Amino acid sequence: MLGAIVGDIIGSPYEFSRVADKDFELFRQDSHYTDDTLLTLMTARGLQTGESYALLYRKAFQAEPHQSWGLRFMKWCESPDLSPYNSLGNGSAMRVSPVAWYFDDERQVLEEATRTAEVTHNHPEGIKGARATALAIFLARRGADRDTIRQRIGQDFGYDLDRSMQTLYETYHYNETCQGTIPEALICFLASTDFEDAIRNAVAINGDADTLAAITGSIAEALYGGVPAKLENEARRRLPIPFIDQLNAFQDAAAGVREP
Ligand SMILES: [Mg+2]
């Protein structure tokens, strides 16, 4: 979950601009949290309090309407109708990471991932994106290696994970759908040598940078056993106190339900 927030902040200046290569500036003056962080924190809160994900996600929008929210998401937040709008956007995957840390049972992780997705992203691809991301994090934190994760996610969700980073550099274009983001985020993670390298891969393919880095970071955190302290500190410096409190409270709670 922290990995998603760190990825979001690092990717934020590059959402609407391109980088030349992986050697970009990690934290800039204008690096900031975006909707990915806000919704991830709301998922964590929902897990802990049992509040409705739909209402929490709306709350996040109402608190910070100036963020670069998806157009349809904004419309949904402003509508009296709470029913989902069949989205297949990558938002279902960028906000799901806390689910993978909260439960110690694969079936529960997948079921809850579906619940977080279907309040807005009830399109099959939207649900699939959330489930695939949550399962990848869960497998990684339970000690699975890269090949196991690649095989399992490729098999269960039908994503093409056999492309190289070079192929992504040459062929990938900005894409906000689940099916055009999650496989690529997974490839950026699978090809990485450490947490920072994973984030650099995700930004360097020049897509929806903050969300790609959030998803990649959320999985990388689990495989590499955390986020390097230097990056964590830079990210925490950029969060308001109530966000830090929510993050800490969730990390304590999640640690409480984790197997020893
Ligand atoms: Mg964003």
Side-chain angles (χ1 to χ4, degrees), residues 170-181:
E170 287 164 10
T171 62
Y172 187 66
H173 297 290
Y174 191 98
N175 190 315
E176 286 182 333
T177 67
C178 270
Q179 64 271 37
T181 306

Side-chain angles (χ1 to χ4, degrees), residues 8 15 34-37 67-68 94 208 210-211:
D8 177 38
E15 185 177 2
T34 80
D35 51 339
D36 306 61
T37 292
Q67 290 278 0
S68 54
M94 57 76 151
D208 184 1
D210 56 333
T211 296

Side-chain angles (χ1 to χ4, degrees), residues 58 74-83:
R58 285 183 171 211
M74 284 201 285
K75 271 200 180 137
W76 175 78
C77 287
E78 286 167 339
S79 154
D81 182 8
L82 263 177
S83 47

